Amino acid sequence: MDFQSLHRAVRAVAVLVAGAASLTACSAGAPSANASSTPALTVAQPTPSHVATIPTVSGLSLPIEPYLLTQATNTEMLRASGVLIQQCMTRYGFSYTPPNFAANDPASDVANMPRRYGVTDMAMAQKYGYHNPATMGSPSTGAPAPQPMSESEQLVFLGNTPGGGFEHASQVYQGQQIPQGGCSGDAQRKLGTGMNQRLAENIDDTSYNQSLANPVLLAAFTKWSGCMKQSGYSVSTPAQAPGFRLKPSPTTAEIQMAETDVTCKKQANVIGVWFAVESAIQNKLIAQNEEALTELKQSEQETLKKAAQVLQGS
């Protein structure tokens, strides 16, 4: 799995855990109600008119980033959601402890620029190889793992959420009507739709995935691959590197390959080309969806205001 795909998977889990940290994976993965309304995101492959020589990702910012939730905003919304769910579960006699959403969660970085194009920093490559420094040596919190919810707790938590497994069950628990979508749905309605960044995240994902088929970028990949070949590494694209399962700690061989990777990226101007191609794709997609993105940003501000009120009263 390449760095970008790994980041997407981790980020998706972080969002799901806001509503279902104590549930099993099958009940936590309920699809979003807005999934079917997400527009198709396709553009013709661009040919950037200007490609700057860029040796590092430091300071780079993609066009979609202003529409993506920042780490701090995402954390505040998740914490408020946890408070509301806890209050709701208490009304039904259940003791629910929300996850401890850390503000410094590396998986929440907007667009994952430090690792979006793989290893790009020589000092980091020399120290960590292909390992992500953000996850190396992370101390354990020592917190006990959350206990699985009972079936009754899951019923109150999820209610008739599609895919939750309780859609056809009685939506009454001990004489009390369960809210639409359970306590998790109740919290979402109270906070609003500001946490639903599906469109912005899809544009972010789409630009990356479509860029991998861009002729201009593929030409840069060919140069990079040829450079890697000279040092004995047979890898077609940076997204495929290193091409082997990493050991728990960086090995000498891994570090040597990572160093070569960074050097070859500079020689082929991979970062400059990749950034230009992705930016061009994103600008087209943003123009196509400008109205929806503006509404998304407004919803974010409204939800953030509600989240602050919830946290102040908790």
Side-chain angles (χ1 to χ4, degrees), residues 50-203:
H50 173 70
V51 177
T53 300
I54 305 177
T56 175
V57 296
S58 178
L60 295 183
S61 179
L62 287 164
I64 195 60
E65 291 193 41
Y67 298 98
L68 294 170
L69 285 178
T70 65
Q71 177 179 312
T73 298
N74 187 54
T75 299
E76 185 160 1
M77 291 180 180
L78 290 174
R79 288 176 57 218
S81 176
V83 169
L84 290 173
I85 293 173
Q86 184 180 48
Q87 293 172 350
C88 177
M89 295 292 286
T90 298
R91 293 196 295 269
Y92 290 86
F94 295 113
S95 178
Y96 170 77
T97 302
N100 180 22
F101 297 108
N104 61 351
D105 181 2
S108 298
D109 290 344
V110 174
N112 191 33
M113 287 307 298
R115 305 290 285 187
R116 190 176 187 94
Y117 304 141
V119 290
T120 56
D121 183 276
M122 183 59 77
M124 292 293 100
Q126 291 172 339
K127 185 174 183 179
Y128 299 104
Y130 284 96
H131 283 69
N132 190 340
T135 59
M136 286 291 293
S138 300
S140 173
T141 61
Q147 294 298 312
M149 284 185 176
S150 68
E151 187 170 316
S152 296
E153 286 176 294
Q154 292 184 45
L155 169 64
V156 173
F157 187 94
L158 291 169
N160 58 358
T161 300
F166 300 94
E167 302 96 316
H168 307 295
S170 171
Q171 297 299 302
V172 176
Y173 178 73
Q174 293 189 349
Q176 294 189 75
Q177 184 70 36
I178 298 172
Q180 183 79 9
C183 286
S184 56
D186 187 56
Q188 183 179 14
R189 282 189 298 277
K190 288 179 178 177
L191 288 176
T193 60
M195 287 187 68
N196 183 6
Q197 298 287 317
R198 183 175 299 276
L199 175 58
E201 291 180 353
N202 282 354
I203 289 175

Side-chain angles (χ1 to χ4, degrees), residues 207-231:
S207 69
Y208 181 87
N209 292 325
Q210 289 190 5
S211 72
L212 297 176
N214 184 273
V216 179
L217 183 58
L218 289 176
F221 285 172
T222 298
K223 294 179 182 178
W224 172 88
S225 181
C227 175
M228 294 290 287
K229 186 71 173 179
Q230 291 177 2
S231 296

